Amino acid sequence: MDRSTRLPVGGARRVPALLLAALVAGGAAGGCVSKGDVQMVQADVALLKAESARRDSARAAQLTQVIQLQQHIMDSLTVSRQALGQLKGDIGTDLYNIQQQLVQLQELTGQSQQRLTELRTQLEARGAQQSLSTPSVPAPGDSARPESTANTSADQMYEASLAQLRRGSTSTARIGLREMLRAYPTSARAPDALYFIGQSFAAENPDSAAAYYSQVADKYPTSPRASSALYNLGLLAERRKESAKAKDAYQRLVQKYPQSDEAALARDRLKALGR
């Protein structure tokens, strides 16, 4: 038998029987079977068995790797689905909470505006009643309301609006402060109201804030708010990279209000800007 002859792997288990049959047939034809022929056949059988076992082992290893990879992918998909479900749940909860907060904020804003309107109505009614019950007639040019009543009403509207500003309700605070200025334009609180309207605009609309600060500095130069307004004008100009305007505001502050706390800050800013 030629050693180069190889049987299919799947027929490895049938090799011994086939070879033995071949040997018997050859022996019958030739008269005898030599020991060397038997050993050669046994070696071929062992080689075929080893080759078959190696290939089976390689296929088994590959199959194991494929199964492990599939399992890993399935596990990853399961974890991803769980994470996605959790994320959807968290987003849904967050959206619901945000919606609830918006509803509460809208209700609070509406209540605050309604409260300011009610307060204004009550104050005007009290002022009218006291005006009617006062026997004296105001002199020409005097306010139609008694001075003490007007001051009290303006103070109450101012304090209520300022409380809204402290809570972060800037739009509600502006409504109240503007209404106070409309109803009591000559009140001693007028410069304060203008200043805090400017403060309410400082973050969202610097141009509007600067306009109100300018009104305080120009119309009420004797008010304690005037120095603060000038300093804020300088800061706003600096943020907009307008150094000339910033220097002008700081210099006005130092010249007009040299003893104020803001003047010391303005001097530092002028040094930083190089005068």
Side-chain angles (χ1 to χ4, degrees), residues 139-160:
D142 289 346
S143 173
R145 296 181 180 86
E147 184 178 353
S148 60
T149 301
N151 289 339
T152 301
S153 301
D155 287 345
Q156 289 176 338
M157 292 187 71
Y158 171 79
E159 293 297 339

Side-chain angles (χ1 to χ4, degrees), residues 4 8 33 39 48 60 63 66 77 84 86 90 99 122 140 149 153 156 159 162 184 187 215 223 240 256 262 270:
S4 63
V33 178
Q39 291 176 346
L48 288 173
L63 183 59
V66 170
L77 289 174
L84 182 60
Q86 181 65 34
D90 293 342
Q99 289 174 350
Q122 292 174 3
T149 301
S153 301
Q156 289 176 338
E159 293 297 339
L162 197 59
Y184 308 101
S187 169
Q215 288 186 56
S223 169
R240 289 184 289 191
K256 289 188 175 182
E262 291 81 5
L270 285 171

Side-chain angles (χ1 to χ4, degrees), residues 12-13 25 35 50 61 72 78 80 84 109 129 132 164 169-170 177 193 198-199 225 231 247 254 265:
R13 295 183 180 86
K35 185 177 181 181
H72 178 70
T78 300
S80 298
L84 182 60
T109 302
Q129 289 176 358
L132 291 174
Q164 292 299 319
S169 301
T170 54
L177 292 170
Q199 289 283 78
R225 298 290 180 187
Y231 183 69
K247 290 179 181 180
V254 172
L265 297 173

